[in-house]
Amino acid sequence: WGAAWWAGTRAAGCGAEWGWREGVGSARVETGAICLGRAAAAAARLMWLVAITAAMVWVRLGLPLGPWPGLLLLTVMLGVVGLSSLGSLLGLLAVLGRARQAALPVLVLPLVSPVIIAAVRATTLLTQGSTDQVPGWLSLLVAFDAAFLAAGYLVFGYLIED
């Protein structure tokens, strides 16, 4: 999950310096949808990274998948959505604020730590074969994913106008 967090913050501001503001301004699409598209693209990139990293860990270290691999996949997907949605929104803030990539991990870590903690705890429980507390951690992931996606959808247009 640490590698996913780092990659999510590094890729969040991609393309922001290539004149994308003019394209967004002339697009006939709602700006909130553009934010969701950025988050979806970041999530797709991050899913590839997590899949490759998990495969290497599984092969090299013999990580057990546990008896519920579907729940493990759901946990990974929810964690990736949380990381990518907040990372893409704060990546835009960092680029617009001229802070660039140096300040992005410092901005993202305090806000995304509940997502990382919930994903790590649910992953740990599932690989150990326990599902007692997993629904609570998954509920926390869903709540933070919804909050980050809604915040990005609502705020994105105002950030681009400034």
Side-chain angles (χ1 to χ4, degrees):
W1 284 108
W5 166 73
W6 183 252
T9 59
R10 299 303 296 168
C14 284
E17 63 275 355
W18 297 328
W20 57 271
R21 288 181 85 172
E22 294 81 19
V24 169
S26 65
R28 301 211 190 300
V29 178
E30 189 174 342
T31 55
I34 294 171
C35 179
L36 294 179
R38 282 179 53 94
R45 287 190 307 261
L46 206 50
M47 274 303 289
W48 276 106
L49 172 87
V50 170
I52 291 168
T53 306
M56 288 190 298
V57 168
W58 181 60
V59 169
R60 184 75 176 135
L61 301 177
L63 177 71
L65 292 179
W68 297 280
L71 278 176
L72 189 59
L73 180 63
L74 178 64
T75 301
V76 169
M77 289 173 60
L78 289 173
V80 164
V81 167
L83 289 172
S84 61
S85 61
L86 186 65
S88 63
L89 178 63
L90 290 180
L92 177 68
L93 278 174
V95 168
L96 291 177
R98 308 239 184 330
R100 300 283 185 232
Q101 295 289 335
L104 189 57
V106 175
L107 291 171
V108 172
L109 185 60
L111 295 173
V112 84
S113 59
V115 172
I116 293 173
I117 292 169
V120 167
R121 291 295 300 153
T123 302
T124 302
L125 290 169
L126 288 170
T127 56
Q128 292 174 349
S130 174
T131 59
D132 295 338
Q133 300 172 355
V134 172
W137 293 113
L138 291 180
S139 299
L140 186 65
L141 282 171
V142 168
F144 273 94
D145 289 356
F148 293 155
L149 287 171
Y153 185 83
L154 296 173
V155 173
F156 190 79
Y158 297 110
L159 291 176
I160 289 182
E161 289 175 5
D162 288 343

